[in-house]
DNA sequence: TGACACTTTGCAATCGATTGCAATAGAATG
DNA sequence: CATTCTATTGCAATCGATTGCAAAGTGTCA
């Protein structure tokens, strides 16, 4: 339909006013259900508006009202490594945020370019147009987020509580998550447990901290040679894991920082003829839907993603209302979802 | 940061003009790199703008220019069944669309409420604010999409070529996808092949059509009792599959309409002591990242999602430019990604 | 009938950018 | 020096809604 069909579109407020025999002011009030307008007049206007498919110009409205009711959501995933979005965590989070924003009468704009500096984001059209921004992840730009928090529009970040932080965060307790996973393996009788994940990333560093805490608490001294950082890309990841497994024959458990990684680890183990979980037990992180559908079922740390999205939106709404808002780290509950199978 | 730090924000164009000793008109021209403005003047204005973190009011700009540069993307997944977004297909598609929109100088607004009528969507703020809408999936609202296509703003839909269609579509060839999967199983020696998927959904109906085509071509008459529609929810799905497997002992292959479903099917088969793929071979659809990481590797029909997103954006840009635009069904290439294991 | 209260409507300014046209300055030309 | 041309810049209208204030309409009561 390259050409608009005449008569079905482009009814503007003036035409609507003319048809109803009133002024634009009255039409505006009627459509906003103002108590100043007579009920019969309102009904007539609403009826005409619907009949003629009147679509109000939201841009003009936003200009006048000095807001856009739009929140920008920035996906801070590793763009270099996984240029195509493959981590379902982001979709679940975005889904939760968009739903909760809708409940608050807001819409969502998505931003997917890698943000490396505050200035760059300030210049982006999405920033110019939104009322505030929610970052899913901190990437490596903690300092830039600090700057951004000082400018015009409020920001809220899903991430970890880094030192010297000026922006508001929502996050799950990654230390506890790491502890839960490790404790689970310890309770299955594991003694020599590896950790798979990139500890340069703030959230994963905390999970690793939880991992070492749990080990020490069990009287086991963490061995830094058991920490491995497989890349995102599958082929590379699996060859690195294969290599690791050949050089570290003694391990009997692996704490993985994601379900995707856990799936690769399990697959590599099985290829090496190692039985999972009876010889080596594995935990993941994120509770992917599909993890429960595979065999053996993936044991995983489940974050309350929906609750996290809700908190992000709640904090954002607080900031928009000019309130003082606190961080929210514990509000998001963590549980371990156990495999149906246990280490024999 | 409930309070904005003074001096770091709210610089408006007038103040910038005053500092530069020019009028607002010149500032506007300078920031838009108009050739009418002296280069030295431009540089001074740009420098001041950056120094004072000037953020232009995009809403005012949009109002004046009569466009928003925003495209609304509507996720038409089964909200009743999977209220939480769990299908990674959507994320990959949204990711591709947002990236290609960015290349075309556009931003993306996400819409996630179930759309059941054209009127409802016309009244949504996202519609009032966007330049056009992209629907990911047709849901059950083919007729409503027809209406929508006749109104103010262009729409493009990811979906199937339904009869009596007035809107532009982009899609992969689902009939061929169904054929590919079925042919793969036939080539593995399967004779009695089931189909798992909801054939009320247009795209899945076409995959089912490809399935029957392939069977007939191999001289096998399709048996409608071998079509099953497991629900989205895992527990319910698996009990229905279990039940099916007990009543249909003769099958040796299953064509699944999604990888998620295939994972459940494999899991159920294994629970029944049936070896996959040697006794019963299974194919999925979507090529989920994690499918390649599990054991046995999932054989699946891989759609070129990124290419699909690119086409959606291309068609939308064409419509926005007032061009006549054709549907695009074959542009998206389909391949079967085989399991590392084969039916013995 | 006139005064007053209350309901309903319209007028016109406003939000912040863009841009056609007019105006100015300075250079080039006759 | 007067004139024409070009390069910059400013003035002011414009986009389409909202809203304070004024005004018109309706009803009540003395």
């Amino acid at each position: 339909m390259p050409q608009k069909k005449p008569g079905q579109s482009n009814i503007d407020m003036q035409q609507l006013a003319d048809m109803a025999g009133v002024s634009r002011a009255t039409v505006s009030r009627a459509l906003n259900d103002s108590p100043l307008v007579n009920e019969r007049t309102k009904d007539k206007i609403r009826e005409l508006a619907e009949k003629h498919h009147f679509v109000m110009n939201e841009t003009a409205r936003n200009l006048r009202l000095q807001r856009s009711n739009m929140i920008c959501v920035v996906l801070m995933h590793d763009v270099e490594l996984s240029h195509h979005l493959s981590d379902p965590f982001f979709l679940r989070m975005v889904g939760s945020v968009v739903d909760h924003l809708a409940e608050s009468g807001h819409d969502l704009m998505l931003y997917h370019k890698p943000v490396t500096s505050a200035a760059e984001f300030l210049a982006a059209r999405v920033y110019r147009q939104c009322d505030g921004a929610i970052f899913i992840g901190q990437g490596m730009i903690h300092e830039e987020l600090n700057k951004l928090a000082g400018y015009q529009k409020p920001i809220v970040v899903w991430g970890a509580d880094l030192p010297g932080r000026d922006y508001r965060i929502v996050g799950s307790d990654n230390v506890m998550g790491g502890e839960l996973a490790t404790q689970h393996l310890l309770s299955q009788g594991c003694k020599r447990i590896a950790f798979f994940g990139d500890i340069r990333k703030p959230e994963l560093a905390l999970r690793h901290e939880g991992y070492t805490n749990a080990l020490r608490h069990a009287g086991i001294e963490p061995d830094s040679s058991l920490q491995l950082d497989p890349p995102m890309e599958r082929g590379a990841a699996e060859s690195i894991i294969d290599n690791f497994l050949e050089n570290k024959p003694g391990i009997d458990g692996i704490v993985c920082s994601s379900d995707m990684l856990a799936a690769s680890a399990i697959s590599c183990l099985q290829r090496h003829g190692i039985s999972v979980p009876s010889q080596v037990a594995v935990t993941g992180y994120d509770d992917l839907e599909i993890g429960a559908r595979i065999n053996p079922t993936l044991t995983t740390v489940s974050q309350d993603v929906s609750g996290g999205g809700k908190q992000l939106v709640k904090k954002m709404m607080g900031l928009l209302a000019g309130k003082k808002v606190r961080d929210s780290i514990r509000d998001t509950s963590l549980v371990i979802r156990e495999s149906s199978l246990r280490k024999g």
Side-chain angles (χ1 to χ4, degrees), chain A residues 9-319:
Chain A
S9 51
N10 288 341
I11 303 290
D12 67 18
M13 208 178 241
Q14 183 62 64
Q15 296 177 46
L16 198 58
D18 291 347
M19 290 189 297
V22 298
S23 69
R24 300 200 326 268
T26 301
V27 172
S28 170
R29 291 196 182 96
L31 295 178
N32 286 303
D33 202 19
S34 158
L36 289 177
V37 178
N38 184 291
E39 283 302 329
R40 280 199 313 282
T41 312
K42 272 191 206 174
D43 285 343
K44 194 203 312 180
I45 292 173
R46 282 196 279 238
E47 197 177 312
L48 283 167
E50 179 147 5
K51 181 175 163 197
H52 294 87
H53 305 294
F54 171 70
V55 174
M56 187 183 292
N57 185 320
E58 190 73 14
T59 304
R61 182 166 211 263
N62 287 342
L63 173 60
R64 179 58 223 242
L65 298 178
Q66 294 293 292
R67 55 165 176 63
S68 72
N69 279 320
M70 283 195 297
I71 301 297
C72 179
V73 169
V74 183
L75 295 181
M76 295 291 288
H77 69 128
D78 255 294
V79 181
E80 304 144 32
L81 298 175
S82 61
H83 192 73
H84 50 293
L85 281 170
S86 56
D87 188 343
F89 166 80
F90 285 102
L91 183 61
R92 288 200 287 156
M93 186 55 97
V94 169
S96 170
V97 169
V98 71
D99 290 343
H100 288 102
L101 281 176
E103 281 174 17
S104 309
H106 289 253
D107 297 312
L108 182 154
M109 313 180 61
L110 202 62
Y111 194 69
H112 188 226
K113 273 184 249 169
V115 174
T116 57
S117 78
E120 171 199 321
F121 188 61
L122 284 181
R125 206 173 38 224
V126 284
Y127 184 76
R128 303 201 297 251
Q129 204 155 186
C130 69
D131 292 343
I134 292 175
F135 286 76
I136 310 297
Q138 288 152 307
M140 306 289 190
I141 60 162
H142 176 55
E143 285 306 330
E144 296 297 318
L145 290 173
N146 270 342
K147 285 188 207 163
L148 219 42
Y151 297 151
Q152 277 187 35
K153 302 178 180 182
I155 70 171
V156 179
V157 177
W158 171 267
D161 181 13
L162 302 182
R165 176 172 50 80
D166 292 333
Y167 50 88
R168 293 282 70 78
I169 59 163
V170 172
S172 67
D173 186 337
N174 284 289
V175 176
M176 184 189 287
E179 280 177 19
L180 276 175
T182 313
Q183 281 164 3
H184 173 80
L185 293 182
L186 289 166
S187 77
Q188 302 287 304
C190 299
K191 301 286 184 208
R192 193 163 163 72
I193 302 174
F195 182 93
F196 284 8
D198 183 356
I199 58 176
R200 289 169 308 175
K201 294 182 192 155
E203 299 188 70
L204 302 197
L206 294 173
R207 293 180 198 172
H208 183 260
E209 186 183 325
Y211 154 84
T212 58
N213 290 352
L215 288 182
R216 290 219 172 86
H217 193 261
I220 300 175
E221 189 53 27
D223 175 352
S224 66
S225 78
L226 294 184
Q227 189 265 321
L228 184 70
D229 172 25
M232 289 290 196
E233 197 272 312
R234 182 177 58 90
E238 300 195 346
S239 80
I240 285 183
I241 294 173
D242 281 340
N243 190 42
F244 177 87
L245 292 176
E246 278 155 26
N247 293 323
K248 303 283 174 188
I251 66 169
D252 55 8
I254 307 175
V255 171
C256 296
S257 60
S258 74
D259 282 353
M260 203 77 88
L261 207 48
S264 281
I266 292 173
S267 182
C268 290
L269 286 164
Q270 291 178 331
R271 206 176 324 110
H272 279 255
I274 299 170
S275 159
V276 180
S278 56
Q279 287 179 274
V280 176
V282 178
T283 62
Y285 212 108
D286 285 344
D287 197 10
L288 295 195
E289 169 74 11
I290 203 169
R293 301 186 179 222
I294 64 181
N295 203 349
T297 314
L298 208 50
T299 295
T300 189
V301 177
S302 176
Q303 311 187 46
D304 177 11
V305 176
S306 171
K310 182 174 182 172
Q311 285 297 320
L312 284 167
V313 171
K314 188 175 163 189
K315 304 300 174 192
M316 175 55 72
M317 294 302 125
L319 290 176

